Amino acid sequence: MNRRDEILSLDRARVWHPYTQMQEYLEQTEPLVLESAQGSRFRDVDGRSYIDGNASWYCCALGHQHPRLVKALSAQAEKMCHVPLAGIAHEPSARLAEELCTVAPAGLSRVFYSDDGSTAVEVSLKLALQYWAQNGRPERTRFLALDGGYHGDTMGAVSVSGIEVFRRSFGNVLIDCLRAPTGADGYQQAFDVLGQLLSAHAGELAAVIVEPIAQGAVGMRIYPPDLLRALRDLTRQHDVFLICDEVFTGYGRTGPFWASEHADVEPDVLCTAKGFTGGMLPMAATLVSERIFSGFLGDAERTFFYGHTFCGNPLGAALAREVLRVYRDEDVLALAAGKARRIAAAFERFRELPDVVETRSVGMIGALDLAGSKSYLEPRGRRVYREALRRGAYLRPLGNTIYITPSINIPDRDLDELLAILEESVRAA
Ligand code: PLP
């Protein structure tokens, strides 16, 4: 048995893959079996190279194995890998919190660490609920969100998400969330409804949660900053917290460091993960305003009873600090502006491809929709996936939406190759 087959037979016998229909997976003949990764590419066990078209689930914002990140990780590993954060301080998490608040939108002054995007969101929901419960508004127990939002897979996060197929099985036990439909009438209509729901239910709402500017997992849908700005104004008017989930959009994915900056919005809560550690370790943070933080000061009852074992993990914190330094030293966002223009021009052109009904782009996101149903389960994208793999690129279509979200610092030649492969694969599928 060669190595590939050996790994696959172990994998098929034991591993349950996320977001994967295992029946199909077990019967599939050619899954990717990876060996190593470098820059914006990874390599399989047979030595074939693939461009990572979505930065490994939007995570590896600075590419794979960035030498400075590897170095920062090993330097910290020599010193201290893990200690608890409950009532204990250490340099990486303390300095990181200070540095994060410096780059964060104004008004966010406290950092609560967790493990990944879902837990960063979970923290934000629980903070909002507990804040109102102990600050005179216990009836504020509901959330408000946009249809099509995606905020993660833990029970709280999936409750405020609006992708029907991910929620379906858990519908009876999810926490209460009102949702504004984002249908054919577009985002203006959706935000109008969101505003109406907000005004009508303000007294019951703990928070509104949105992915600022770009709704990722639902199909890379993009909306105008003005709508976010107006929502911020309305949440202020009704004194309802605004949570910006920047797990996908942060770290320059849409152009500026935070997508909230497009609209000059200062949220009450901001969730970050993924690019936060350059995708090298699972770690996340929820940033909050001083008002929220101070609502938890006082006697023991007011403690925020929340925490995961790896909160503030020194390895993750050291990495996250180095990520911020690399963004600054390598002028990552300024260089990405040129790459974003290449993406925008290519997706403009892709509008002419056969069977393409819509294309869009913002920053380091480019997406097109193929004709047909908008269902996440639509198989057509799978054909594009296979065509792209044969040509040396890893794409992960969302139903009929074919998109790229490469590392923010992808070399121009890799980006051009990725765009060319995408075009050929759409034509061939
Ligand atoms: N929020 C957003 C906007 C996301 O895109 C994701 C994941 O894609 C999450 C939250 C959940 O993050 P994680 O998969 O790290 O739990």
Side-chain angles (χ1 to χ4, degrees):
M1 215 189 262
N2 66 25
R3 250 183 91 235
R4 183 178 195 282
D5 292 343
E6 197 183 330
I7 294 167
L8 265 184
S9 81
L10 289 168
D11 176 276
R12 287 197 162 119
R14 300 289 186 194
V15 180
W16 189 339
H17 292 254
Y19 278 105
T20 302
Q21 174 40 256
M22 289 306 292
Q23 175 87 39
E24 187 189 326
Y25 181 81
L26 293 174
E27 289 163 4
Q28 185 181 318
T29 48
E30 292 296 319
L32 209 49
V33 182
L34 295 182
E35 174 88 336
S36 63
Q38 190 73 48
S40 51
R41 292 175 178 265
F42 35 56
R43 200 170 279 281
D44 71 9
V45 283
D46 303 316
R48 275 204 77 192
S49 161
Y50 304 84
I51 302 174
D52 182 353
N54 65 29
S56 289
W57 272 359
Y58 333 140
C59 246
C60 300
L62 295 174
H64 296 274
Q65 310 297 114
H66 191 294
R68 282 184 53 178
L69 300 189
V70 173
K71 204 163 156 210
L73 180 59
S74 25
Q76 182 59 40
E78 297 281 334
K79 263 197 248 171
M80 179 166 71
C81 289
H82 183 65
V83 288
L85 197 68
I88 293 177
H90 56 73
E91 185 170 13
S93 80
R95 291 203 187 278
L96 172 62
E98 169 63 23
E99 289 155 8
L100 269 177
C101 290
T102 307
V103 296
L108 298 170
S109 58
R110 301 283 172 167
V111 178
F112 193 96
Y113 293 115
S114 62
D115 301 348
D116 49 35
S118 300
T119 52
V121 168
E122 204 73 23
V123 166
S124 73
L125 305 179
K126 284 195 166 178
L127 275 174
L129 287 172
Q130 191 175 330
Y131 176 89
W132 294 118
Q134 63 198 21
N135 288 283
R137 301 297 302 271
E139 68 285 2
R140 288 192 151 193
T141 55
R142 310 181 81 181
F143 291 91
L144 176 60
L146 275 179
D147 201 20
Y150 178 72
H151 301 288
D153 289 340
T154 51
M155 287 306 240
V158 79
S159 298
V160 294
S161 295
I163 302 181
E164 162 58 18
V165 68
F166 302 164
R167 298 167 42 86
R168 199 179 281 167
S169 315
F170 317 108
N172 293 337
V173 294
L174 298 180
I175 58 176
D176 192 3
C177 181
L178 296 164
R179 210 163 279 108
T182 47
D185 300 324
Y187 277 107
Q188 177 67 58
Q189 172 97 356
F191 274 80
D192 286 349
V193 176
L194 199 66
Q196 286 155 15
L197 289 170
L198 178 54
S199 305
H201 297 277
E204 307 148 34
L205 292 176
V208 181
I209 181 165
V210 289
E211 290 166 87
I213 306 303
Q215 290 190 298
V218 74
M220 302 297 151
R221 297 193 199 144
I222 299 157
Y223 60 83
D226 288 357
L227 299 179
L228 183 61
R229 179 71 253 159
L231 176 65
R232 171 71 286 195
D233 293 344
L234 208 55
T235 51
R236 282 240 159 86
Q237 207 176 304
H238 291 287
D239 196 25
V240 170
F241 293 141
L242 176 67
I243 304 171
C244 280
D245 175 355
E246 295 256 15
V247 168
F248 167 59
T249 52
Y251 286 74
R253 175 58 61 199
T254 69
F257 197 83
W258 307 109
S260 314
E261 291 173 39
H262 284 285
D264 208 9
V265 152
E266 295 162 9
D268 302 289
V269 184
L270 182 149
C271 308
T272 179
K274 296 196 183 264
F276 177 65
T277 54
M280 281 178 68
L281 279 182
M283 182 171 180
T286 306
L287 279 65
V288 302
S289 66
E290 203 61 21
R291 174 188 177 192
I292 294 178
F293 176 74
S294 48
F296 285 78
L297 298 178
D299 57 28
E301 299 284 303
R302 283 179 170 262
T303 307
F304 185 41
F305 291 106
Y306 192 105
H308 294 282
T309 305
F310 291 105
C311 281
N313 173 261
L315 291 173
L319 262 177
R321 293 190 65 208
E322 190 66 4
V323 167
L324 289 175
R325 284 191 288 257
V326 170
Y327 267 77
R328 189 194 57 210
D329 298 348
E330 297 185 2
D331 227 355
V332 171
L333 296 190
L335 291 173
K339 300 176 200 299
R341 282 194 290 275
R342 281 173 131 86
I343 293 175
F347 278 83
E348 206 41 61
R349 230 178 34 246
F350 294 162
R351 208 159 277 178
E352 307 307 321
L353 289 176
D355 250 10
V356 168
V357 291
E358 197 199 309
T359 71
R360 54 199 169 272
S361 68
V362 63
M364 295 298 286
I365 306 171
L368 61 84
D369 296 333
L370 297 171
S373 120
K374 283 198 183 319
S375 162
Y376 177 80
L377 301 175
E378 184 65 39
R380 179 108 179 261
R382 299 287 302 163
R383 293 208 292 275
V384 179
Y385 168 84
R386 285 190 287 272
E387 291 292 340
L389 267 196
R390 289 204 305 116
R391 292 168 169 81
Y394 165 69
L395 304 174
R396 196 178 151 87
L398 296 158
N400 261 338
T401 300
I402 317 296
Y403 72 92
I404 59 162
T405 52
S407 56
I408 310 293
N409 64 352
I410 184 172
D412 288 346
R413 64 178 183 288
D414 284 355
L415 178 58
D416 290 345
E417 191 179 332
L418 176 63
L419 290 163
I421 292 177
L422 184 144
E423 179 171 355
E424 286 168 27
S425 306
V426 168
R427 284 185 194 282

